[in-house]
Amino acid sequence: MPTLLRRVGTSSRASTRGSGQTDIGWPRHVTPATPERREVCMPRSLVKRLTAFLVAVAVPLAVCALLTPIRATLSQTNVALILMLVVAAVAALGHRWVAVLTALSAAAWFIFFFTTPYESFIRFKNADDIVTAGLLLVVGLAVSQLARRYTRERTIATTLQHSLLPRVLPDTSAVRPAFRYVPAEAEVGGDWFDVIPLPGFRTALVVGDVAGHGLGSAVTMGRLRTAVRNFSTLDLPPDELLARLDDVVNQMDMEVGDSEEGTVTATCLYAIYDPVSCSCTMARAGHFPPALVYPDGRGEIVDLPAGPPLGVGGLHFQAVERKLPVDTQLVLYTDGLIHNRHRDIETGLKLLCDTLSRVGLDPEKTCEMILEAVLPARSVDDAALLVARTRAFPRDGIAEWDIPAIPAAVPALRAEVLAKLADWNLEETAFATELILSELATNAIRYGTPPVHLRLLRDTSLVVEVSDSSSTSPHLRYATAVDEGGRGIFIVAQLAERWGTRFTPTGKIVWAEQPAPSVSVVPVLALVP
């Protein structure tokens, strides 16, 4: 046993598998996650200061000069409003002191051109001229301050929102994903999406929408996306994951209480695609149903039970499983893509279905065509679009055995597994795989319920899955020196890169994943003289 533990201590944890992620980058529809820094103070360099001073003086002067030929037809109020718009436009650039100088310059040129034209600044026809000039100055300064604050708050909210959205999509064995995110023109929203790799080479696809706009919606969106990622590590089916996410939203409402922020209203669609069985399990919480594009070009909206929005509590979410042909595209989206104040939902869904019948097999081009044909012009709501093209797991990377429910069957099973590893050129993993298989199969035979089944999956990593009909999950223990048992799962945890339990409608699957080198060690050593 001491020798075994020493070998366990130097397990394959030292060799970590690559992330296998591809940086897709932000498309042209998405604002970069880190906006350019905006100056909110006086520019420091001398050239920038002189330029700002000239702009502050010249812009109001040019406007007043253009209005001078028609000053007889304009009232002072009209001129003042025009100059206020100029001040607001300069303030929107984020330069506070330039906006202040522009307001002062606008007031001065207004006095010169429209109160005592071509005379000195200190002669006025009446007191109304002084009042009008003063009001112009005060309102201009107030507008510049409000514009600066709005620009700063929008920049903060946009930066936060884009930092919470994924910028890198994982390159999985299950799907080839593509996405687009189109921010709203007015305020940031709470639309989000995600692609999450799961054990067994499965992939979860998620889209969600938090009602409202502004910084609060962006923060809530980030909390929900984090919660979904945490729940995905438990390997829950879509309906159970949405039920737990519903509890999270209820807890958020309790934290808010009776404050002015109000209750949280959100929707979510969660789907899991399994490339081994080519099946997709989906559930939604008040969200729009997904769309499918089959390889022959047919498009349809999935008939998926709606479920209540997140935060209602106490209601049931229903999952639906669909078998999908290879190269089928799943289209997940938020309401900003199909609905706005000038177009109802039915019209948007019909337009989406018509567009899906014309797309090809490339998810990137599918995103482009959908946005071009379906996205409303000048939408007041942000829109998220996620398209995933399905793949099938290679059949030569799957090996399965039915295990008799007797401990004596394990040695013969080990021999067959080692032969299969040699066929896959994975002799390097034979020692760890043999120990993992022995522990998982023995636990399933002793503590589980027949039938017991073994499955090996070989792709970017090697996955060992042992399933049985019992719902009892193994527990990781740290046995003491005097304990006679309890070290089996500990050994599995040390040898494997990851391990866990996934519950199924008929029982459970205990799995362990370890790196799978693509080149066999034995042939390489044979070439050494």
Side-chain angles (χ1 to χ4, degrees), residues 422-433:
D423 183 50
W424 283 343
N425 294 327
L426 293 180
E427 293 90 344
E428 182 181 351
T429 65
F431 173 74
T433 304

Side-chain angles (χ1 to χ4, degrees), residues 27-29 180 363-373 385:
R28 61 181 178 87
H29 302 283
R180 294 293 185 273
E364 291 289 340
K365 293 182 179 179
T366 300
C367 288
E368 293 291 340
M369 293 183 64
I370 291 176
L371 286 187
E372 183 178 353
L385 174 64

Side-chain angles (χ1 to χ4, degrees), residues 161 165 180-184 189-194 206-211 213 221 266-269 286-291 331-340 343 345 348-349 352 370-371 374-376 379 381-387:
Q161 182 193 40
L165 290 173
R180 294 293 185 273
Y181 174 76
V182 182
D191 291 14
W192 55 282
F193 59 93
D194 211 345
V206 196
V207 291
D209 185 6
V210 178
H213 297 85
M221 175 268 292
T267 64
C268 183
L269 170 62
H287 202 82
F288 286 96
V331 180
L332 286 67
Y333 52 92
T334 57
D335 61 344
L337 178 68
I338 62 174
H339 175 61
N340 68 352
R343 186 173 69 189
I345 296 175
L349 288 176
L352 175 62
I370 291 176
L371 286 187
V374 183
L375 184 68
S379 177
D381 195 8
D382 50 347
L385 174 64
L386 178 62
V387 178

